[in-house]
Amino acid sequence: MENLIALLIAAPLLGAAVLLCGGRRLDAVGHWIGTVLAAASFVLGVVLFTGMLGKAADHRTLTQHLFSWIPVGGFQADVTFRLDQLSMTFVLLITGVGSLIHLYSVGYMEHDERRRRFFGYLNLFLAAMLLLVLADNYLLLYVGWEGVGLASYLLIGFWQHKPSAATAAKKAFLVNRVGDMGLSIAIMLMFTTFGTFAFGPVFADVDRTGQGKLTAIGLMLLLAACGKSAQVPLQSWLGDAMEGPTPVSALIHAATMVTAGVYLIVRSGAIFNAAPDAQLAVTVVGAVTLLFGAIVGCAKDDIKKALAGSTMSQIGYMVLAAGLGPIGYVFAIMHLVTHGFFKAGLFLGAGSVMHGMNDEVDMRRYGGLRKYMPVTFVTFGLGYLAIIGFPGLSGFFSKDKIIEAAFAKGGTEGWILGGAALLGAAITAYYMTRVMLMTFFGEERWRNAPTPSPAEPSVEPAAETRGEHAEPHPHESPGVMTIPMIVLAFGSVFAGGLFSVGDRFLRWLEPVTGHSEGHSPVSALTVTASTLVLLVVGAGIAYAQYGRRPVPAVAPRGSLLTRAARRDLLQDDFNHVVLVRGGEHLTRSLVYVDHTLVDGVVNGTAASVGGLSGRLRRLQNGYARSYAVSMFGGAAVLVALTLLMRAV
């Protein structure tokens, strides 16, 4: 079975090569080639999963060595794949949800003349993400890590004729490079510390390594995770990434790119377990980000950006759980999987709404769409109930487990983290209820809606050709788009419950991640009751504001916090002042030092030599009489000195 692992990556990689190099002759069938090869990788994953289930829990790890990549003296880097319970979970999620997004894109991108290239990029993205989670060493993981960054750049900026899309792609690429520096430094530290990059030897030697080195490695891994998973302080790219086609948003923000950081932390659990300071930093980043993203999501009128804030917040929950160590590793991955279902469904639902609304993204120009888009309404609604933690749905099981694990951390830290997680649950209920009400309920505000201002451009370029100012005629999306939404809705409803029966998911991952119950000062029943009360409060406030009152066509000025949240809590302003302007001042200072000090020394030395040589050159004028006078004068000086010395 282990000989099949490489084929998981080979299928989408072949699709990317064929679609990107095959030329226009494949335009008519390219989208189906990409979809079939993505589905083939999923089928192969199911085959490997079935074979894995037939083995004992401690003997399910498969490895496949392809070749020695860089054998140089004591330096050894191999292309070896590792398929265990953790990587298998990601394989099924990436290929399963990824295949559904491919199928959805067949309808969504139907009229795009570059559709073949788009599917080539989608296949490339899947191949890079699969390489990332199947790598058996950090250096090979880094190759997949960078491949994901490249593919995301190509997909976010797919409509590069729009300046906003090109800028968003560049921003995502540059911010992620900051995180990637963290991963590269961590790999260098590993090699100097352990002499290898392979997971097995590194994790085996952790207990014999100084805590200072492990803390440094852990912090660098956390920096890498912050970049890919859009966590504070490297979260600024996520909202702008909505400039890409909506299927890209579903792929990046649900099942693949933003979950890579969570995978990296959980996979490196042995390092973080031995470095409590780095582990504490992970929990702090997760707690801050889950509140940061939730607050941003409350103030967005763009449906995709509201969901982007939600993604930031939900990934924060996962990072928080991963920072709890063995108490939370399993629940971080469990929430990652359930989130893959309901968040992908929500993004595809948002794309379906935009498809029927002339690509409008402003929820203030929606309203009453449930009767025009019944399938979208039901599937989006189930995703909404799942993400807010409605009892019995997927999010209820996974998010409550994270809140319980946060309290189980114990002490003051446990109360702070648990309180932040509970507050995040209340805010989640508020902003998602707001999205639901503004989109599917209330009056039909698109009728005679005011013309969008230049500051509020349509996200999708199709509006440029179809006329974004025309009154939309909402309608349900075609079957090729609604079928993936229905499948994801089933996952939103049932996945969490299936994972929780008999602690199936816990027992599945425990051999790889380990698990510890902890000692929570708060009972599970109390946590559940508190979460449900806060859910009702958050949803109730949203209903009072958006369900019982007319939604104004233009957002009111709002409080200082609301205005800041509309500007992503001033994250771009902070980056501009501290990093951009700070970088400019640093550059100017360095230029000044270079011009005045460095160039001054160099140019001053050159000028001195030049001046001295110019003066000495006068002695070499080429006239014999001048040389004779010089010789006579020299001789006279010597005679005078001789006579003077004798007289003395």
Side-chain angles (χ1 to χ4, degrees):
M1 295 290 287
E2 58 270 14
N3 294 329
L4 299 177
I5 298 175
L7 296 180
L8 289 168
I9 304 171
L13 189 60
L14 173 64
V18 170
L19 294 176
L20 296 177
C21 301
R24 293 191 174 277
R25 66 178 65 89
L26 296 177
D27 283 355
V29 296
H31 49 288
W32 290 117
I33 293 175
T35 303
V36 168
L37 287 173
S41 186
F42 172 68
V43 171
L44 184 58
V46 172
V47 171
L48 289 167
F49 173 68
T50 304
M52 188 177 285
L53 289 177
K55 299 181 179 181
D58 295 333
H59 296 83
R60 287 174 172 168
T61 299
L62 303 175
T63 59
Q64 181 182 8
H65 175 76
L66 290 188
F67 56 89
S68 293
W69 179 18
I70 312 176
V72 180
F75 181 89
Q76 181 74 26
D78 296 329
V79 175
T80 302
F81 301 128
R82 178 189 186 91
L83 186 65
D84 56 18
Q85 291 92 320
L86 178 60
S87 52
M88 175 55 77
T89 301
F90 276 84
V91 165
L92 294 177
L93 179 67
I94 293 165
T95 58
V97 175
S99 297
L100 292 173
I101 293 172
H102 274 70
L103 181 61
Y104 177 95
S105 301
V106 171
Y108 192 87
M109 302 294 290
E110 181 180 4
H111 301 292
D112 196 300
E113 61 181 13
R114 298 170 66 235
R115 181 166 60 167
R116 170 186 53 82
R117 184 177 294 274
F118 179 78
F119 277 83
Y121 293 159
L122 288 183
N123 274 196
L124 178 63
F125 197 106
L126 289 190
M129 191 68 193
L130 287 169
L131 176 61
L132 191 159
V133 300
L134 289 170
D136 189 46
N137 61 76
Y138 282 98
L139 195 61
L140 188 60
L141 181 150
Y142 187 76
V143 176
W145 192 272
E146 291 300 314
V148 168
L150 171 63
S152 66
Y153 170 78
L154 296 172
L155 287 168
I156 294 170
F158 183 72
W159 286 320
Q160 70 267 27
H161 61 276
K162 295 172 54 186
S164 57
T167 301
K170 181 172 66 175
K171 182 178 181 179
F173 190 82
L174 292 176
V175 173
N176 272 273
R177 294 295 71 72
V178 177
D180 295 352
M181 283 298 297
L183 182 55
S184 64
I185 293 172
I187 294 173
M188 296 175 199
L189 291 174
M190 286 178 196
F191 185 74
T192 58
T193 303
F194 305 107
T196 180
F197 310 109
F199 293 152
V202 168
F203 300 154
D205 289 344
V206 161
D207 293 334
R208 296 188 291 272
T209 305
Q211 193 173 107
K213 289 185 178 179
L214 293 176
T215 299
I217 293 173
L219 291 177
M220 290 299 99
L221 291 174
L222 173 59
L223 179 63
C226 287
K228 275 291 182 288
S229 294
Q231 300 293 283
V232 172
L234 300 180
Q235 79 289 357
S236 62
W237 65 271
L238 193 67
D240 296 83
M242 298 299 100
E243 291 293 334
T246 302
V248 174
S249 303
L251 189 65
I252 290 177
H253 297 144
T256 53
M257 181 172 174
V258 293
T259 62
V262 181
Y263 170 80
L264 181 66
I265 295 173
V266 174
R267 175 60 79 186
S268 308
I271 295 174
F272 285 99
N273 292 341
D277 292 338
Q279 200 170 58
L280 175 62
V282 174
T283 59
V284 171
V285 166
V288 170
T289 308
L290 75 88
L291 294 176
F292 188 105
I295 293 171
V296 168
C298 291
K300 294 296 184 181
D301 292 330
D302 183 320
I303 187 171
K304 290 174 65 177
K305 290 191 175 183
L307 294 178
S310 171
T311 296
M312 192 188 306
S313 178
Q314 297 304 308
I315 300 294
Y317 272 103
M318 301 171 206
V319 172
L320 168 61
L324 298 173
I327 301 174
Y329 287 144
V330 172
F331 304 131
I333 302 302
M334 181 177 174
H335 193 55
L336 186 151
V337 176
T338 59
H339 177 265
F341 286 113
F342 57 69
K343 183 53 63 66
L346 289 170
F347 268 113
L348 296 188
S352 179
V353 170
M354 294 162 58
H355 182 269
M357 291 291 292
N358 283 2
D359 301 298
E360 178 62 71
V361 296
D362 190 346
M363 293 185 293
R364 294 185 180 276
R365 298 186 176 91
Y366 291 169
L369 294 179
R370 65 187 186 279
K371 61 184 178 182
Y372 299 98
M373 305 177 184
V375 176
T376 301
F377 168 65
V378 172
T379 55
F380 193 98
L382 291 173
Y384 152 73
L385 293 174
I387 194 174
I388 68 172
F390 190 84
L393 275 70
S394 292
F396 170 78
F397 294 99
S398 58
K399 189 186 295 183
D400 274 23
K401 289 294 186 182
I402 293 177
I403 299 173
E404 292 174 22
F407 280 110
K409 184 69 174 178
T412 304
E413 181 184 342
W415 283 102
I416 293 174
L417 296 176
L422 280 174
L423 179 59
I427 302 176
T428 300
Y430 171 81
Y431 70 72
M432 285 306 304
T433 303
R434 174 179 180 267
V435 170
M436 196 72 187
L437 292 173
M438 292 181 71
T439 302
F440 295 103
F441 294 89
E443 60 180 340
E444 300 172 354
R445 296 183 299 278
W446 72 81
R447 301 186 185 279
N448 301 317
T451 300
S453 66
E456 300 174 313
S458 174
V459 168
E460 311 289 0
E464 298 174 7
T465 57
R466 294 205 297 254
E468 68 269 38
H469 304 315
E471 182 176 303
H473 299 282
H475 55 277
E476 189 56 270
S477 298
V480 73
M481 294 172 63
T482 56
I483 289 174
M485 293 159 55
I486 294 171
V487 175
L488 291 170
F490 272 95
S492 301
V493 174
F494 298 112
L498 291 174
F499 292 160
S500 299
V501 173
D503 290 330
R504 289 178 179 173
F505 199 76
L506 190 154
R507 290 188 288 109
W508 165 257
L509 280 183
E510 189 173 8
V512 178
T513 63
H515 181 66
S516 173
E517 290 294 337
H519 302 285
S520 176
V522 181
S523 68
L525 181 60
T526 301
V527 169
T528 300
S530 302
T531 305
L532 291 178
V533 169
L534 291 173
L535 184 156
V536 172
V537 171
I541 295 174
Y543 177 74
Q545 291 182 342
Y546 297 95
R548 302 186 62 182
R549 303 176 187 173
V551 177
V554 179
R557 180 175 174 80
S559 64
L560 180 62
L561 178 61
T562 300
R563 297 197 299 274
R566 289 184 186 133
R567 295 171 61 90
D568 299 329
L569 292 181
L570 309 180
Q571 56 184 313
D572 284 332
D573 301 81
F574 175 83
N575 291 341
H576 184 74
V577 172
V578 175
L579 300 179
V580 177
R581 289 188 178 177
E584 290 175 350
H585 290 309
L586 177 62
T587 302
R588 289 170 185 164
S589 300
L590 293 175
V591 169
Y592 176 78
V593 170
D594 180 60
H595 285 173
T596 57
L597 182 61
V598 178
D599 287 354
V601 172
V602 174
N603 295 338
T605 302
S608 300
V609 172
L612 179 62
S613 64
R615 288 170 174 78
L616 292 175
R617 188 183 302 118
R618 296 174 184 175
L619 301 177
Q620 300 290 331
N621 54 21
Y623 294 111
R625 58 180 179 272
S626 298
Y627 298 153
V629 171
S630 298
M631 293 171 64
F632 178 78
V637 171
L638 289 175
V639 170
L641 287 174
T642 301
L643 293 175
L644 180 63
M645 291 178 64
R646 286 182 177 181
V648 174

